[in-house]
C-alpha cells in the first residue's frame, strides 16, 4: 500500500491578553478578578509556599469566604530547591485527592518559584486550567509575573522543563514587599535597573534620584507609594512590550537578557551563592564596559550605572573568588546560547538597546576577546 497523507487543518487565533493590577491591599481585588466572566463558576485552589501561606492565605481565604466562594489552600515547602518535578507531582496529587477537575481555577500566590511551578501545574492539570498570579516579591514583579513562562528545575539545569501558559490576571500587591528582607529588595532591583537601562531612561533617572541623590534605603523604598507603584508598573510594562511582540523568544524578547550572558554564567560559576539580581547587576555593568569599547555607550553611562547599583547595595564588579575560566565554561553551557558562539545583548546609552544586522537584538562576541576582557576586569 502506498502511504497517504492528509492535513489536519488547525490554524488558531489566540487572544491571551490579561490585566496586570498594581496596588496595595489587593486581597479584595483578587476576589473580584476571580469572579470575572467564565472564571466565576470555577472551584478555586490557592497554591502557595510555606512562607507565603503564613503571610497571606488566611486573609485571602477570608475575603473569598465572605463573598460566598470558599477556597482550598495547598502549600509546598518554600525555596528554589523545591521548584522540582516532585513538587509539581505532589501538588497535582493534592488537587486530585481534593476532587479538583477541569473546572478548577488556580491562584498562584507567592514569588517566582510559586508562579513558575504552579503556572506549570495549571498548564498541564487536566490538560490546562486557568490561573491567576498574586505576586509577592519584587523580583517576581520585575521579571516572572509577565510573560507566561512556567517551569521547574532539574539537576541538569534550571527551568529546563516547562511550558508557556499565560495567566488570566496578574496582581502585584506592593504591601507584600514590607516583609521582604533588604537583600530581597536589592535582588529585585537588579532586574529593575536592567529594565531602566534597556528601555526607559526616565525611569532610570527617577531611580537615580531616589537612591543616589536622596539616599533611600530598601525600607524607605518600600514605604514610598509613588516609587513602588512606578517600579511595579514600569517593570511589567517594559516586559510586556518585549514579550507581546515575541512570545516565544525568537529575537526581540532576547533584549530582556541584557546583562544575563555574564550574569547567568557568574551565578553558575559561583555555585548559586550570589543572588540572581546581584549577578544581573554585575553582568549589566560588564556588558556596558564591553559595549563602551565598541562605542555603544559612554564612560559616563557606565559611571551612572555603577553609582546607582552601588547606592542600592548591588555589586557591579566580578568577585575576587570567581575564576575567568569558570565563567567562560558556564557561558559555553548556557541553554540560551547558540552552539559555538557567545552572544551579547548590548545597551545603547541608557534607556535603549543596540539593534544589529538583520534586526538582531544580540550579537556574537569573539570568545578570546571575552576571555581577555574578563581577565582585565577581574584584575580590577
Ligand atoms: P521565591 O518565590 O523563592 O521567593 C523567595 C523567598 O521569599 C521564598 O522563600 C518565599 O517564600 C519568600 N517570600 C515570597 N514572598 C514573600 C513576602 N512577601 N515576604 C517575605 N518572604 C516572601 O523566588 P523569587 O525570588 O520571587 O523569584 C525567583 C524565581 O523566579 C526563580 O525560580 C526564577 O527562575 C524565577 N523567575 C521566573 C521568571 C519567568 O519568566 N517565569 C523570570 C524571572 C525569575
Amino acid at each position: 500500500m502506498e502511504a497517504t497523507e492528509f492535513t489536519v487543518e488547525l490554524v488558531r487565533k489566540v487572544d491571551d491578553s490579561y490585566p496586570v493590577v498594581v496596588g496595595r491591599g489587593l486581597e479584595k481585588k483578587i476576589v473580584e478578578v476571580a469572579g470575572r466572566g467564565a472564571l466565576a463558576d470555577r472551584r478555586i485552589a490557592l497554591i502557595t509556599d510555606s512562607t507565603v501561606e503564613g503571610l497571606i492565605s488566611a486573609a485571602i481565604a477570608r475575603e473569598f469566604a465572605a463573598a460566598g466562594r470558599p477556597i482550598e489552600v495547598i502549600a509546598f515547602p518554600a525555596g528554589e530547591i523545591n521548584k522540582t518535578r516532585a513538587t509539581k507531582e505532589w501538588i497535582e496529587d493534592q488537587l486530585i485527592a481534593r476532587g479538583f477537575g477541569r473546572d478548577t481555577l488556580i491562584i498562584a500566590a507567592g514569588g517566582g518559584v510559586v508562579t513558575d511551578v504552579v503556572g506549570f501545574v495549571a498548564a498541564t492539570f487536566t490538560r490546562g486550567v486557568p490561573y491567576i498570579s498574586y505576586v509577592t516579591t519584587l523580583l517576581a514583579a520585575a521579571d516572572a509575573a509577565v510573560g507566561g513562562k512556567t517551569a521547574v528545575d532539574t539537576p541538569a539545569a534550571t527551568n529546563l522543563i516547562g511550558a508557556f501558559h499565560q495567566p488570566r490576571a496578574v496582581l502585584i500587591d506592593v504591601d507584600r514587599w514590607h516583609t521582604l528582607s533588604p537583600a530581597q529588595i536589592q535582588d529585585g532591583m537588579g532586574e529593575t535597573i536592567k529594565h531602566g537601562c534597556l528601555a526607559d531612561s526616565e525611569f532610570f533617572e527617577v531611580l537615580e534620584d531616589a537612591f543616589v541623590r536622596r539616599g533611600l534605603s530598601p525600607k524607605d523604598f518600600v514605604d514610598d507609594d509613588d516609587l513602588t507603584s512606578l517600579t511595579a508598573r514600569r517593570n511589567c510594562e517594559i516586559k510586556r512590550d518585549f514579550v507581546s511582540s515575541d512570545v516565544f523568544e525568537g529575537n526581540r524578547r532576547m533584549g530582556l537578557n541584557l546583562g544575563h550572558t555574564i550574569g547567568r554564567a557568574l551565578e553558575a560559576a559561583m555555585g548559586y551563592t550570589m543572588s540572581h539580581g546581584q549577578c544581573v547587576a554585575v553582568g549589566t555593568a560588564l556588558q556596558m564596559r564591553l559595549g563602551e569599547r565598541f562605542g555603544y555607550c559612554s564612560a559616563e553611562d557606565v559611571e551612572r550605572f555603577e553609582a546607582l547599583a552601588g547606592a542600592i547595595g548591588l555589586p557591579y564588579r566580578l568577585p575576587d573568588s570567581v575564576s575567568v575560566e569558570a565563567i567562560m565554561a558556564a557561558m559555553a553551557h548556557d541553554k540560551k546560547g547558540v552552539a559555538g558562539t557567545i552572544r551579547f545583548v548590548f545597551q545603547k546609552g541608557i534607556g535603549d538597546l543596540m539593534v544589529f544586522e538583520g534586526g538582531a537584538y544580540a550579537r556574537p562576541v569573539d570568545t578570546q576577546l571575552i576571555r581577555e576582557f574578563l581577565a582585565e576586569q577581574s584584575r580590577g
Side-chain angles (χ1 to χ4, degrees), residues 76 83-84 87-88 91 112-121 151-152:
F76 62 91
K83 193 175 138 181
T84 59
T87 298
K88 177 172 182 276
I91 294 168
V113 163
V114 172
T115 54
D116 272 11
V117 69
V118 176
F120 189 25
V121 168
V152 292

Side-chain angles (χ1 to χ4, degrees), residues 48-85:
T48 184
D49 71 26
S50 48
T51 305
V52 180
E53 182 194 18
L55 296 170
I56 54 111
S57 64
I60 294 181
R62 233 184 349 262
E63 294 297 340
F64 273 102
R69 206 175 168 198
I71 62 171
E72 298 235 11
V73 177
I74 297 171
F76 62 91
E80 184 76 30
I81 197 170
N82 296 306
K83 193 175 138 181
T84 59
R85 282 175 280 180

Side-chain angles (χ1 to χ4, degrees), residues 49 51 80 83 111-113 116 136-137 143 149 176 179 184:
D49 71 26
T51 305
E80 184 76 30
K83 193 175 138 181
V113 163
D116 272 11
T136 62
T137 66
D143 201 355
K149 280 188 184 176
R176 303 274 70 92
T179 48
Q184 283 179 301

Side-chain angles (χ1 to χ4, degrees), residues 75-226:
F76 62 91
E80 184 76 30
I81 197 170
N82 296 306
K83 193 175 138 181
T84 59
R85 282 175 280 180
T87 298
K88 177 172 182 276
E89 191 177 319
W90 180 84
I91 294 168
E92 289 158 351
D93 287 345
Q94 289 291 312
L95 288 168
I96 294 164
R98 296 176 195 215
F100 280 95
R102 294 177 62 180
D103 64 343
T104 305
L105 167 62
I106 290 178
I107 297 174
V113 163
V114 172
T115 54
D116 272 11
V117 69
V118 176
F120 189 25
V121 168
T124 60
F125 188 68
T126 67
R127 298 204 184 90
V129 293
Y131 75 109
I132 294 172
S133 293
Y134 176 86
V135 178
T136 62
T137 66
L138 172 58
L139 181 68
D143 201 355
V146 170
K149 280 188 184 176
T150 71
V152 292
D153 301 335
T154 74
T158 56
N159 300 316
L160 195 60
I161 312 281
F164 283 95
H165 189 47
Q166 306 294 338
R168 288 302 174 89
V170 172
L171 287 90
I172 298 177
D173 193 336
V174 175
D175 265 347
R176 303 274 70 92
W177 297 356
H178 283 295
T179 48
L180 296 174
S181 66
Q184 283 179 301
I185 298 290
Q186 285 161 346
D187 196 17
M189 290 309 292
E191 290 285 354
T192 300
I193 58 177
K194 177 205 82 175
H195 279 148
C197 282
L198 68 86
D200 190 343
S201 59
E202 272 177 39
F203 180 41
F204 192 92
E205 278 166 31
V206 170
L207 295 173
E208 274 181 320
D209 180 58
F211 291 101
V212 181
R213 281 186 273 286
R214 290 193 280 138
L216 250 59
S217 68
K219 182 174 177 336
D220 301 328
F221 164 75
V222 170
D223 288 338
D224 187 317
D225 256 5
D226 291 342

